[in-house]
Amino acid sequence: MGSDLHSRSPASAYKVQSREVRLAPTLGSHVLDFTSWAHDLSGSNTFPAEIAMTFHFPFTNSYARLPERFYARVAPTAATAPKLIKVNRDLALELGLDPDWLTSPEGVEIIAGKRLAEGSEPIATAYAGHQFGNFVPQLGDGRAILLGEVIDQAGKRRDIQLKGSGRTPFSRGGDGKAALGPVLREYVVSEAMAALGIPTTRALAAATTGETIVRDTLLPGAVLARVASSHVRVGTFQFFAARGDTEGVRLLADHVMSRNYPHAPGAERPYRALLDAVIAAQAELIARWLMVGFIHGVMNTDNMSVAGETIDYGPCAFMDAYDPATVFSSIDRLGRYAYGNQPQIGLWNLTRFAETLLPLLNEDQEQAIGEAQEALSTFAPLFQRAYNEGLRKKLGLFTEREEDAALAGGLLSAMAQNQVDFTLLFRRLADAQVEGDGDEAVRALFVDPAAYQAWVPGWRARIAAEPQDIATRRAAMRAVNPAYIPRNHRVEAMIEAAVAQGDFAPFEELLSVLSRPYDDQPEFAHYAQPPAEEERVHATFCGT
Ligand code: AMP
Ligand code: MG
């Protein structure tokens, strides 16, 4: 994406100060660039006549029932000659949709935003956000449109949103469109995350629009139909808080509680329960990211879902060799969102979230701040527990001991010093429980194999203290240590084939391999390999 979209941010009182997290008492002192975007709409609240209505989506919309200032009503526009790339059949069924109908010409027109399904109330939602630490009071869905919500087979409410479906009142200088490459990347990586068992938005379908869009070069335009448990972000709360619209914050909080945290309204202090729940969900989520080497890349507050799902896959990437300082995103020049910074940034973002809730936490501001701080102080221990627990499982430990964190830490620092592939190491370790058995495959991952030799006896002694046999431990380790992650060089090659040659076979194959990340799949063993030097991806670009 044009990095100018990110840097075009008004001055803000919020800067990352020596990386420490602090709770600012109030947002009231901001000088706000309040743009009345509703005025930009001029007539777009009615849809063009050529948009045909059709059936088949059992929409039941709740966000569109919130006050008008929460969104702009706007129809999708980008598709001229839509062509289907893919329908996620399993997800369609989960949502109670007919996958065959979705692949029909009518279904494809809906996926690409050329036709509106009956019951759809398309809206672009308003939000604000801290981008790289700078507050922008108005962002909003500039290239996304929420078609509506459906109740899935499990009774859960899910959003169906189009990404790349044309301009909205929030587009600012942007064209509202998405290029094929980033659409395919989000499709593959979000589905890989789901298969890994990590909370995430999902990809329901993708289509090319028939349009050529202008980036650094001319590129095919595409639309992603995305599914989420909510598209409400920390930045959505900030949008209202920054305007002093406490009623808006309250309505939004009530909406999020009833949708995502149904226990909260009945709690003694409902808004505190909401804050606690969002903090816990993020602590867990970020720990899960670290366990698979995932780097979100743009953890701005507008890219953090309050439902605890990974959202907005832009210049995201998976680490090959373990190094906590790893950054791929071309727009993250200072490494703010490096792999190892993600927990800290998570807390920073949650602190911004807590600030928006202050007026709801307590009428007395001092008390409210105290409550917010109390809630925020749970993040570090919750994260640490989830992280330690995750590492213990990766190491095949069934019980918990105090020295386990040091054991894991020793391995990680040896890995960092020896450029060891994160995914391969843990996958192979399952086969090295006994000396001489599979050792060579693990040792070969280290630049200096002595580092492995020095670490491994401690691990063997530790697992020997547990009663589980080798086969049991191997199965447990393989169930948490994937063989397949979306390696960057594979993702880039897949995009290149689709964009340059119109060849979607690598996309299909990658998607299929990644749908079973914990299975060996010997015929696809090459997908488990790290990049050769010349295949290595050094930078990823934002998801426009
Ligand atoms: P993101 O990079 O997805 O976090 O987007 C940051 C902000 O820029 C959001 O408000 C987006 O809606 C907006 N944006 C990104 N790309 C475009 C585009 N091509 N057209 C309009 N708005 C965009
Ligand atoms: Mg975003």
Side-chain angles (χ1 to χ4, degrees):
M1 87 128 38
S3 54
D4 57 334
L5 265 175
H6 283 276
S7 53
R8 202 183 302 140
S9 6
S12 157
Y14 291 96
K15 294 269 186 288
V16 195
Q17 284 175 352
S18 60
R19 292 191 169 176
E20 78 189 2
V21 177
R22 75 201 145 62
L23 187 80
T26 170
L27 282 158
S29 60
H30 276 293
V31 180
L32 292 175
D33 162 30
F34 183 84
T35 338
S36 181
W37 43 264
H39 287 264
D40 303 346
L41 278 168
S42 52
S44 70
N45 271 351
T46 52
F47 305 123
E50 65 268 24
I51 292 235
M53 293 290 211
T54 187
F55 293 96
H56 291 98
F57 274 88
F59 281 122
T60 162
N61 307 324
S62 63
Y63 208 80
R65 301 282 78 76
L66 289 166
E68 295 274 332
R69 66 186 188 282
F70 279 63
Y71 48 77
R73 296 192 185 273
V74 54
T77 51
T80 52
K83 241 175 93 185
L84 186 67
I85 298 169
K86 179 92 185 158
V87 165
N88 185 340
R89 299 184 67 91
D90 290 347
L91 181 60
L93 292 170
E94 201 180 305
L95 297 177
L97 305 175
D98 174 1
D100 291 325
W101 174 78
L102 268 181
T103 59
S104 73
E106 204 183 16
V108 175
E109 288 193 347
I110 289 174
I111 289 163
K114 199 178 179 187
R115 174 189 288 267
L116 273 185
E118 185 160 295
S120 175
E121 297 173 273
I123 54 177
T125 70
Y127 55 83
H130 276 89
Q131 298 190 311
F132 291 90
N134 299 308
F135 187 63
V136 186
Q138 187 187 296
L139 291 163
D141 291 326
R143 57 166 159 172
I145 289 174
L146 178 62
L147 294 182
E149 301 152 34
V150 298
I151 307 295
D152 72 14
Q153 299 297 325
K156 222 179 102 182
R157 184 177 287 273
R158 316 275 289 268
D159 280 359
I160 301 180
Q161 190 208 54
L162 299 185
K163 195 168 170 182
S165 55
R167 283 181 57 78
T168 78
F170 303 105
S171 297
R172 297 173 289 158
D175 60 5
K177 296 168 189 173
L180 176 59
V183 163
L184 295 179
R185 181 191 277 117
E186 175 154 351
Y187 197 121
V188 164
V189 180
S190 65
E191 285 305 300
M193 290 288 265
L196 286 164
I198 298 174
T200 177
T201 61
R202 301 290 305 273
L204 174 62
T208 49
T209 58
E211 289 201 332
T212 299
I213 68 170
V214 186
R215 293 294 180 264
D216 290 340
T217 55
L218 297 180
L219 293 168
V223 172
L224 177 72
R226 161 166 103 171
V227 174
S229 297
S230 169
H231 278 89
V232 176
R233 303 132 193 282
V234 168
T236 318
F237 280 85
Q238 291 179 291
F239 179 85
F240 298 102
R243 284 157 178 75
D245 182 357
T246 304
E247 191 49 28
V249 175
R250 186 188 309 275
L251 289 168
L252 185 63
D254 291 346
H255 171 86
V256 169
M257 288 195 288
S258 75
R259 181 165 178 180
N260 303 110
Y261 301 103
H263 72 281
E268 197 185 321
R269 291 175 293 173
Y271 300 109
R272 172 62 191 276
L274 169 65
L275 177 58
D276 287 341
V278 171
I279 289 170
Q282 281 298 329
E284 177 75 24
L285 179 67
I286 295 170
R288 300 289 299 276
W289 289 355
L290 298 196
M291 290 305 114
V292 295
F294 178 74
I295 307 166
H296 183 284
V298 206
M299 282 177 74
N300 293 333
T301 57
D302 54 300
N303 291 335
M304 182 182 269
S305 160
V306 296
E309 289 178 341
T310 315
I311 194 170
D312 279 8
Y313 293 84
C316 61
F318 282 72
M319 200 165 62
D320 293 302
Y322 178 73
D323 176 359
T326 307
V327 178
F328 287 100
S329 167
S330 62
I331 55 173
D332 188 8
R333 292 186 193 90
L334 299 175
R336 179 181 168 90
Y337 301 138
Y339 171 85
N341 269 4
Q342 296 181 114
Q344 191 177 325
I345 288 295
L347 177 57
W348 195 92
N349 290 349
L350 290 165
T351 306
R352 306 287 82 79
F353 176 57
E355 285 166 1
T356 71
L357 295 182
L358 288 177
L360 308 185
L361 289 176
N362 202 303
E363 283 168 20
D364 178 89
Q365 187 173 277
E366 284 310 307
Q367 301 250 3
I369 291 172
E371 277 206 41
Q373 272 162 344
E374 193 181 283
L376 290 164
S377 72
T378 66
F379 177 86
L382 284 173
F383 166 77
Q384 200 65 53
R385 198 199 302 152
Y387 179 79
N388 290 347
E389 170 80 17
L391 280 178
R392 255 200 326 275
K393 285 191 176 151
K394 287 180 85 68
L395 288 174
L397 302 179
F398 291 87
T399 53
E400 187 179 339
R401 283 196 190 173
E402 213 173 313
E403 66 266 27
D404 294 341
L407 182 71
L411 176 61
L412 290 174
S413 58
M415 287 166 66
Q417 279 157 29
N418 287 276
Q419 296 152 45
V420 174
D421 187 85
F422 184 77
T423 307
L424 280 184
L425 180 287
F426 286 104
R427 184 74 179 180
R428 290 184 183 175
L429 199 59
D431 295 321
Q433 295 175 54
V434 180
E435 191 178 350
D437 184 15
D439 261 349
E440 191 40 48
V442 186
R443 202 184 298 119
L445 297 171
F446 288 74
V447 172
D448 175 10
Y452 171 68
Q453 292 306 145
W455 176 80
V456 77
W459 177 61
R460 290 202 177 117
R462 174 67 181 86
I463 57 178
E466 294 186 343
Q468 283 77 14
D469 61 22
I470 290 181
T472 304
R473 175 166 291 104
R474 179 180 295 131
M477 289 178 76
R478 291 157 66 86
V480 296
N481 292 314
Y484 300 99
I485 51 156
R487 294 200 182 257
N488 305 319
H489 65 297
R490 291 283 171 190
V491 172
E492 293 304 323
M494 170 279 286
I495 289 174
E496 171 71 16
V499 173
Q501 283 120 47
D503 177 7
F504 289 87
F507 165 74
E508 291 286 349
E509 190 168 274
L510 189 56
L511 204 54
S512 155
V513 172
L514 294 171
S515 71
R516 295 159 51 212
Y518 301 105
D519 293 352
D520 274 335
Q521 312 182 56
E523 68 279 30
F524 295 114
H526 48 288
Y527 278 95
Q529 291 306 311
E533 186 51 44
E534 69 278 8
E535 291 175 315
R536 194 162 292 171
V537 173
H538 297 283
T540 52
F541 298 88
C542 211
T544 336

